[in-house]
Amino acid sequence: MRGIIFWVMAISLFSGSSARAAAGDDDKNARSSEKSSPTGDKKPSETAKPGTDPGRNPGGNLGTNPGKPAAANPEVASELKELRQLVQEQAERLRGLQQRLADVEGEVAAGKPGAASAAASATDAVQPATPTASTTASGEGLAVAQPEVPQPAAQETDHKEREKKPSPLYFEIGRAKFTPGGFLDATSFTRTTNLGSGIATSFGAVPFNNTPQGRLSEFRFSAQYSRLSLKVDAPVTDATSLTGYVETDFLGFQPANANITSNSNSLRLRVYWANVKHGKWEVLGGQEWSLMTPNRVGLSPYTGDVFYTYNEDPNFQVGLIWARQAQFRVTYHPTHKLAVAVSAENPQQFAPASVVFPSTTFLTQFDNGSSATNAPSATTNPAVPNLHPDIIVKAAYDTELMRRRFHVEVAGLIRSFRVLNTLVTPNRTDTITGGGGSINLNFQLIKNLTLIANSFYSDGGGRYLGGLGPDAIVKANGNVSAVHSGGGIGGLEWQASRKYMFDAYYGGAYFQRNFGALPTPGSTCNGLAGFSCVGFGFPGSANTTNRAVQEATFDVIPTLWSSEEYGKFQVITQYSYLVRSPWSTQTTPPTPKNAHTSIVYAGIRYTLP
C-alpha cells in the first residue's frame, strides 16, 4: 500500500514539473517572437492570406509559421497555474493520508479491535482520484485530478459488505445484535477409585486404597457439561457500546433421585454480565470469571479469552486459580497492548471440615465447603460474616517476541477475615487482612505451540485454588489466623493441524499447616499432655487435611468435521493422574501416605457455529 502511495505522489509531482516546463517554453517562445517580428503585435488572423488557414505555411504543410507565431493565451496560463496549485494540494493530502495509513497498519499488526475497518477506510482514502476533463478556452482537454467526493450511500454499502455476521445464528432486533452459542456435550468418564463426585472431579477428596471407595472404580455417562450462551451487542453512541453475555450449563441443583430414572439435570448460571465500553474505558457488572483467573488475551471478560485449560473435567485442573462470582470491574486501556483493571468481587471466608475450631460457635462463621446446595451444611453459606469485597488489581501486556505472540499479567488480591471471639469475656470481634499475588504468561514457542505458566501465592487465598484448603483458622485464643497457600500450572498446547489438538498440563496446590494447643484435660497435642490441637494440619489430624494435591493431564482433541455454516464435531479425550497428600495419616489401621487415582474422559461434542 505504501508503494502505491509513493507512485501516486511521483506521478503527481512529475505532472506538475511537466506543466511548469511547458508553460516556461510557451512564455520563452512568445518573448522571442515579439523581438524578432515587427508585426508581432498583430493577430495571426490579420496576416493570413485569403484561402489559407492560420497556422499553415504557403505550401499547405502543418506547422507554425515561423514569421507569424501565435501569441500566448492568458486563460491557458491561468489554467496551468491552477493545475500546479491543485497538484501541490494533492501531494500534501497524500502525505497526510500516508501517515494515517501507517498508524492504522501498526494497530492492525498489533491486533487492536476495530483497526481492520479503520485500515480499510484509510486504504479507500488514499486511492488516486478519478481524473476529470477540464476544457480550456483554447479547446484543449487538460486532465486535472479533482478530489473524489465519497457518496454516503456507496460508503454504507461497502461497509455492510465488509461486515460479516459472526455466525449463521446471528440476528438483529433494532440496533441490537444477538449471537447465540454453546455446544452439546456427551461424555463418559472412568475413575480407578469410586470418588462419587459426578462429572466434576473433587480433587481434594480422592479416597485411599485401604477403604472400600479406594478399592472400587466408577463409570458414568453424562451430558451435564453441555453449554448454552447468548451475546448481545448494542451501540449506544459512536464512542460507546454495550455488551451483555449469559452462559449456562446443566451442573446445577441435583434432586435426590436424579440419577435413578429421570436424570433431570438442572440449569446452572455460569456467567451473566453487562459491559459498557467508552473509548479506552470499560465498566463491567454481574457474575463473571474472577479477575484472578488467568487470561489468554488482555483482560477480556469473554470465556474464550480466559485460561481454564482445554480439559473436559468441569473442575478443570489442580493448581488453576479461578472463581466465577458477582463483581464490579473497571478496566482501562492506556495502549492497545496494555490493560489495567480493578475489581470488587463477592467474598467468602472459607474453612472446610478438616479445620478444627476451639469452639463450635465458630462453625457458622465460615463457609465449611458444602458440596451440594441441598446438603444441610449449605445453610451456613449465606451466614458467613464477610467484612468487605475481595479487591483485585491486575495488569496485562500483550506483544510479540521474535514475531511470536506473548502475554504476561500480574495480579494482586486483598482479603479480610472477621470472627466474633467467644472465648473471651466480654466477647469481641477479631479482624485480619490477607492477600496474595499471581504472575501468569503464555508464549508461542513455535508456530501453533504455546507455553503456559501460571503461579499464585497467598496468605488467605485458599478458596481461589479450587477450595482444596482453608483460607484461615481460629487459634486457641479465639483469634483468626490466615493459612499460607500456593499453586500453579505449567503446560503446552499444540494445534498440530486443523483437525488435531494436543495439550499437556501439570498443576499443584500446597497448603501450609497452622495449628495451636488448647488446654483440654485428658488430651494430647503433638506430644503435649493436657492439650488438644486446633487448627489445620496438626499431627493426628484427619487425612482430609490436604498438604499438597497434584495432577498431570494429557488431552487429545480430534475434529472430525468442521464448517463455518454448520459448526464442528469433535471427540474430546482426557487422561489425568491425580495424587493427594495429607498432612497426617496417623490412623488405625495405618493410612497410606498418598491417595491417587487415574481418570479417563471420552466423549463427543458438537459446537454451534
Side-chain angles (χ1 to χ4, degrees):
M1 181 57 65
R2 295 181 182 176
I4 295 174
I5 294 173
F6 287 132
W7 278 109
V8 172
M9 291 176 60
I11 293 171
S12 300
L13 294 175
F14 176 78
S15 301
S17 301
S18 301
R20 287 192 294 270
D25 291 342
D26 290 343
D27 293 341
K28 183 177 179 181
N29 291 336
R31 287 193 298 267
S32 62
S33 298
E34 290 174 357
K35 293 179 181 180
S36 60
S37 176
T39 59
D41 57 339
K42 294 183 180 180
K43 295 181 181 180
S45 58
E46 295 177 352
T47 59
K49 294 182 179 180
T52 62
D53 295 332
R56 293 183 180 269
N57 59 22
N61 296 329
L62 292 174
T64 302
N65 190 339
K68 304 290 187 294
N73 193 326
E75 293 184 3
V76 174
S78 176
E79 288 286 349
L80 291 173
K81 182 178 180 181
E82 291 178 3
L83 176 61
R84 288 194 294 269
Q85 291 176 349
L86 183 58
V87 168
Q88 184 177 0
E89 292 173 0
Q90 288 285 341
E92 293 176 355
R93 179 170 178 266
L94 286 172
R95 282 194 293 271
L97 291 174
Q98 177 191 6
Q99 181 61 41
R100 176 188 170 195
L101 181 61
D103 295 340
V104 172
E105 286 179 342
E107 294 177 358
V108 172
K112 184 175 180 179
S117 60
S121 300
T123 302
D124 294 341
V126 298
Q127 297 299 324
T130 304
T132 303
S134 176
T135 305
T136 66
S138 62
E140 296 178 3
L142 296 177
V144 181
Q146 300 289 345
E148 183 178 1
V149 179
Q151 299 298 326
Q155 283 188 332
E156 184 177 355
T157 302
D158 293 342
H159 177 71
K160 289 184 177 180
E161 290 177 355
R162 287 195 296 263
E163 183 179 352
K164 294 183 179 180
K165 295 181 180 180
S167 77
L169 304 179
Y170 165 96
F171 62 94
E172 295 184 10
I173 299 179
R175 298 185 64 190
K177 303 173 183 178
F178 293 77
T179 307
F183 54 78
L184 308 179
D185 187 277
T187 190
S188 66
F189 56 95
T190 302
R191 300 187 181 100
T192 56
T193 59
N194 187 16
L195 189 57
S197 63
I199 186 175
T201 303
S202 181
F203 301 127
V206 178
F208 290 90
N209 61 10
N210 64 340
T211 64
Q213 293 81 8
R215 302 291 296 273
L216 296 171
S217 63
E218 64 170 324
F219 172 86
R220 294 182 185 275
F221 281 125
S222 178
Q224 289 176 273
Y225 203 36
S226 299
R227 190 178 303 172
L228 297 173
S229 66
L230 177 65
K231 181 168 72 78
V232 182
D233 296 294
V236 180
T237 66
D238 292 340
T240 306
S241 62
L242 172 65
T243 300
Y245 184 73
V246 60
E247 184 178 279
T248 65
D249 60 24
F250 297 86
L251 286 161
F253 177 84
Q254 297 298 301
N257 62 348
N259 296 315
I260 298 175
T261 53
S262 64
N263 288 272
S264 302
N265 301 309
S266 57
L267 199 66
R268 178 183 72 164
L269 176 68
R270 287 169 59 88
V271 297
Y272 192 5
W273 49 261
N275 185 63
V276 178
K277 185 174 182 180
H278 179 78
K280 296 183 177 182
W281 292 90
E282 292 185 57
V283 178
L284 179 145
Q287 177 159 307
E288 164 59 349
W289 293 89
S290 170
L291 193 58
M292 287 301 300
T293 309
N295 275 81
R296 292 183 180 273
V297 180
L299 296 181
S300 169
Y302 294 107
T303 297
D305 295 330
V306 174
F307 173 80
Y308 58 96
T309 76
Y310 291 121
N311 294 352
E312 176 72 1
D313 193 333
N315 275 349
F316 314 123
Q317 178 81 21
V318 172
L320 179 66
I321 309 101
W322 73 281
R324 290 191 299 263
Q325 54 200 12
Q327 60 189 270
F328 180 79
R329 180 191 300 184
V330 177
T331 305
Y332 177 62
H333 303 268
T335 69
H336 61 276
K337 293 184 178 181
L338 178 65
V340 181
V342 60
S343 180
E345 305 188 4
N346 185 61
Q348 191 78 341
Q349 53 190 41
F350 171 66
S354 57
V355 174
V356 176
F357 292 108
S359 171
T360 57
T361 58
F362 296 102
L363 289 173
T364 58
Q365 299 184 46
F366 288 84
D367 188 324
N368 58 14
S370 60
S371 58
T373 55
N374 60 345
S377 57
T379 57
T380 65
N381 291 350
V384 176
N386 298 307
L387 181 59
H388 63 72
D390 290 354
I391 305 300
I392 302 172
V393 179
K394 188 175 181 180
Y397 185 74
D398 292 84
T399 187
E400 290 188 353
L401 294 179
M402 299 176 290
R403 297 185 179 180
R404 301 296 182 186
R405 292 190 304 272
F406 177 75
H407 168 87
V408 63
E409 60 185 38
V410 179
L413 167 69
I414 298 176
R415 307 187 66 198
S416 291
F417 306 97
R418 178 177 60 176
V419 297
L420 179 65
N421 187 347
T422 59
L423 301 182
V424 297
T425 305
N427 297 345
R428 59 179 175 79
T429 300
D430 185 63
T431 303
I432 64 170
T433 298
S438 176
I439 300 176
N440 311 309
L441 64 87
N442 62 74
F443 175 53
Q444 191 179 69
L445 299 175
I446 58 175
K447 184 179 181 181
N448 296 332
L449 179 63
T450 302
L451 170 70
I452 305 294
N454 301 330
S455 63
F456 175 72
Y457 183 79
S458 75
D459 184 33
R463 81 177 182 95
Y464 285 92
L465 284 166
L468 299 179
D471 291 333
I473 58 101
V474 177
K475 295 182 178 179
N477 61 3
N479 292 333
V480 64
S481 177
V483 174
H484 297 296
S485 59
I489 290 180
L492 293 171
E493 297 174 343
W494 182 34
Q495 186 70 56
S497 67
R498 293 184 60 185
K499 292 192 174 183
Y500 286 95
M501 173 77 180
F502 301 90
D503 56 70
Y505 310 100
Y506 171 80
Y510 172 83
F511 300 88
Q512 185 174 324
R513 62 184 4 164
N514 187 353
F515 66 93
L518 178 70
T520 307
S523 298
T524 301
C525 174
N526 198 24
L528 296 175
F531 291 87
S532 63
C533 292
V534 295
F536 174 79
F538 51 85
S541 60
N543 59 23
T544 55
T545 56
N546 296 319
R547 174 178 57 86
V549 183
Q550 304 171 75
E551 182 184 21
T553 299
F554 181 71
D555 300 334
V556 179
I557 307 175
T559 299
L560 304 182
W561 175 77
S562 179
S563 167
E564 292 184 359
E565 294 294 325
Y566 301 103
K568 61 182 176 180
F569 188 74
Q570 296 174 300
V571 175
I572 312 292
T573 61
Q574 173 188 340
Y575 171 77
S576 294
Y577 183 73
L578 182 65
V579 179
R580 181 173 72 87
S581 304
W583 273 108
S584 178
T585 57
Q586 298 175 12
T587 60
T588 302
T591 299
K593 185 177 180 180
N594 300 314
H596 52 84
T597 187
S598 290
I599 310 169
V600 176
Y601 287 86
I604 56 175
R605 177 180 296 176
Y606 168 69
T607 303
L608 298 177

